[in-house]
Amino acid sequence: MARIVVIGAGLGAMAAAARLAVAGHRVTVYERGTTYGGAVGRFARDGFAFDTGPGLLHLPAVYRDLFVKTGKEPLEECVTLTQVDPASRHVFADDTCVDLPNASRAGTVAALDAALGTGAGERWGDFLVRAREAWDRTRRPLLEEPLPADPAPLAREPYPALKAGLLRRPTTTLAQVGARELRDPRLAALLDAYAWSYGFDPATAPASAAVLPYMEQTFGSWYVGGGLRALADAVYERCRKRRVEFVFDSPVEDVLEKDGRAVGVRLAGGETVEADHVVSGAPVPALYRDHVVEWSRGDDVPHHQATGTGRVTVCLALRGPREAGAVHRTVVHAAGGLPTVTVLRPDDPALRPDADHESVTVTATVPTSPERDAAGWEAFADRMAEAAGRAVPGLRERLLWRHVRTPEDVRRDTGAAEVPGPALAGAGGRLLPAGNRSPLPGLWFAGGWSHPGGGLAHAGMSGALVAGFIVEGADFRGSQ
């Protein structure tokens, strides 16, 4: 039985902890904050409740596998999962509106043809065929297997070049895909929205980001009853049942090294904790400064994925019930100087004081570099609420109060303002996060800051990969 220290109580770290505990190891999680869940947070006030992180779950099979492998109760006995249908409503700058069904390619093609004109659906369908090629080329190395020792092949663009006459014209960015292949500003905006939702700027994101809409439209979007925080609750309880110990309000300052191996951690108060393995599920500043940077895989493939973007979340407490015909998720595309926002309106009694009120969450992706003071963030939240008014009838008149969460609030709670995105091939490898196995024996990386990147499903996969390495040894090759 090994002694294992896990840094951070995010979903990826807890997924690793539960699997390792089931394998017979003694696992202790040290969390810098007062609670678990990492970016999967909750804000509650006056009977209203809001997810302050992700609002929908994609690829729930990742957490089904976690619960099967760590206990008798399957995931569906611990949380309520519901497919969101329509998966999303899109309101474009010209006020065109389209509802896209959940996990139905034929339905999506028909909906786009009906809303945007004949041929729009066919162009989107043809794009998804090419996106599937990129998915098939990268699915296992980017999701199911450890990052290879030589990631150079993943630095090349897997999205197929579009044929122009007798030549194939390479496409290097997602924005180019929209302009060259979709040929409609509304379809291009639809594609862009998928990139922004994961924190990627379409102008700089590689064409391989086409796998993001492919993944959602193929495998569907799911809502967890009570909000995504309920999933964090369930994973935490599974860890506790497997006798994982949690120590909150305990920041880890550094990883201890002896004879070329990780042997424990040093806490903020100076206390040291010995361990046979250390799993870092959070971007510990000293760890990245003193270890990861000097462990470069080469100038063209950095260890740490940097998207340069974060998220602003505005929680809106509304009087009055949700109107008939309202949808769970609406993307309101930029128009008239207003930002693109995602509006989440879950019809969930657990998130509102009674049937005569509604909880609405509005999010937008923003650069993390420009500095805004409190007044600047409030002004930006005004613009977000104005954009959301295109999706929520009478929003201004119904508003009781709002709560604004900025990237700096995310930094305060999680240690970093950026929201990490899933690993993407192409772009010279700059969107490949740190591998799960560090060059220092005994030190492992889990969570959204490591392979296979950010997002609930990807974080869960990282936990499975780290547990596989520790339990099965160096010969571990990933899920089968």
Side-chain angles (χ1 to χ4, degrees):
M1 178 177 68
R3 300 164 301 173
I4 299 177
V5 164
V6 177
I7 305 172
L11 267 292
M14 290 197 294
R19 291 174 182 269
L20 290 168
V22 165
H25 300 299
R26 191 174 70 199
V27 183
T28 303
V29 178
Y30 291 90
E31 165 57 43
R32 69 194 298 272
T34 60
T35 187
Y36 51 86
V40 185
R42 168 65 55 88
F43 176 76
R45 171 182 160 189
D46 300 339
F48 294 89
F50 309 84
D51 282 324
T52 58
L56 292 173
L57 177 64
H58 307 291
L59 298 176
V62 173
Y63 288 92
R64 290 191 179 109
D65 181 69
L66 171 65
F67 276 71
V68 166
K69 300 291 177 55
T70 60
K72 296 180 179 179
E73 305 87 3
L75 177 64
E76 277 80 353
E77 286 189 13
C78 301
V79 298
T80 301
L81 288 178
T82 305
Q83 278 194 302
V84 176
D85 203 4
S88 58
R89 173 174 291 168
H90 289 262
V91 180
F92 296 103
D94 64 356
D95 290 327
T96 305
C97 180
V98 60
D99 288 355
L100 300 183
N102 197 332
S104 171
R105 179 178 169 183
T108 295
V109 168
L112 290 173
D113 271 340
L116 308 186
T118 302
E122 181 180 2
R123 290 196 298 278
W124 185 261
D126 290 342
F127 154 72
L128 287 181
V129 171
R130 292 185 287 275
R132 179 176 179 173
E133 288 188 44
W135 170 263
D136 289 341
R137 292 170 181 172
T138 60
R139 175 180 60 85
R140 281 199 61 80
L142 282 187
L143 293 180
E144 300 171 0
E145 299 174 346
L147 201 63
D150 178 13
L154 291 175
R156 295 192 289 268
E157 178 57 63
Y159 185 80
L162 189 66
K163 191 170 184 180
L166 297 178
L167 301 176
R168 288 194 175 274
R169 182 169 52 174
T171 304
T172 58
T173 69
L174 198 67
Q176 288 178 335
V177 173
R180 294 176 178 179
E181 302 177 27
L182 299 179
R183 304 192 305 278
D184 183 314
R186 296 164 299 183
L187 286 179
L190 173 62
L191 177 59
D192 289 352
Y194 283 99
W196 284 119
S197 69
Y198 286 93
F200 296 115
D201 183 342
T204 58
S208 65
V211 301
L212 302 176
Y214 173 81
M215 180 179 69
E216 285 200 26
Q217 294 193 5
T218 300
F219 303 108
S221 301
W222 301 75
Y223 177 67
V224 178
L228 260 294
R229 181 63 184 181
L231 178 63
D233 294 341
V235 176
Y236 173 73
E237 290 302 324
R238 178 54 54 92
C239 286
R240 295 290 294 164
K241 289 181 179 179
R242 302 284 80 83
R243 299 185 179 181
V244 175
E245 182 181 355
F246 286 80
V247 183
F248 296 104
D249 292 313
S250 296
V252 172
E253 285 195 340
D254 204 359
V255 173
L256 304 178
E257 179 182 346
K258 182 178 180 181
D259 299 328
R261 181 178 177 85
V263 294
V265 298
R266 183 174 67 249
L267 304 181
E271 177 188 357
T272 60
V273 180
E274 295 182 352
D276 300 299
H277 295 274
V278 176
V279 177
S280 178
V284 179
L287 182 65
Y288 283 84
R289 182 183 66 246
D290 299 335
H291 298 301
V292 174
V293 172
E294 69 186 46
W295 288 335
S296 174
R297 290 193 296 254
D299 294 339
D300 58 334
V301 185
H303 253 75
H304 183 57
Q305 182 197 66
T307 62
T309 60
R311 292 197 182 97
V312 182
T313 301
V314 181
C315 306
L316 303 175
L318 305 184
R319 64 170 62 88
R322 188 174 184 264
E323 79 278 4
V327 300
H328 189 112
R329 174 173 58 170
T330 301
V331 179
V332 182
H333 296 269
L338 299 178
T340 293
V341 300
T342 299
V343 182
L344 296 179
R345 306 178 65 189
D347 188 11
D348 189 340
L351 304 184
R352 59 188 184 231
D354 53 50
D356 292 325
H357 294 84
E358 182 183 8
S359 298
V360 174
T361 305
V362 186
T363 60
T365 303
V366 297
T368 54
S369 52
E371 295 185 0
R372 291 185 175 95
D373 57 15
W377 284 119
E378 287 296 328
F380 187 74
D382 288 341
R383 295 171 58 207
M384 290 175 62
E386 185 178 351
R390 299 174 66 202
V392 183
L395 186 150
R396 184 187 297 272
E397 294 74 25
R398 296 176 58 196
L399 182 64
L400 292 171
W401 52 263
R402 77 183 187 191
H403 171 75
V404 180
R405 181 175 170 83
T406 73
E408 287 308 309
D409 295 322
V410 177
R411 186 195 303 277
R412 179 197 64 220
D413 293 342
T414 68
E418 281 192 342
V419 178
L424 293 178
R430 63 182 174 83
L431 295 179
L432 296 176
N436 307 111
R437 178 171 54 184
S438 83
L440 180 67
L443 175 63
W444 311 88
F445 298 141
W449 302 96
S450 63
H451 179 71
L456 287 176
H458 295 72
M461 293 176 196
S462 77
L465 289 169
V466 167
F469 269 124
I470 294 175
V471 173
E472 299 185 27
D475 294 333
F476 176 66
R477 294 293 180 267
S479 62
Q480 301 299 319

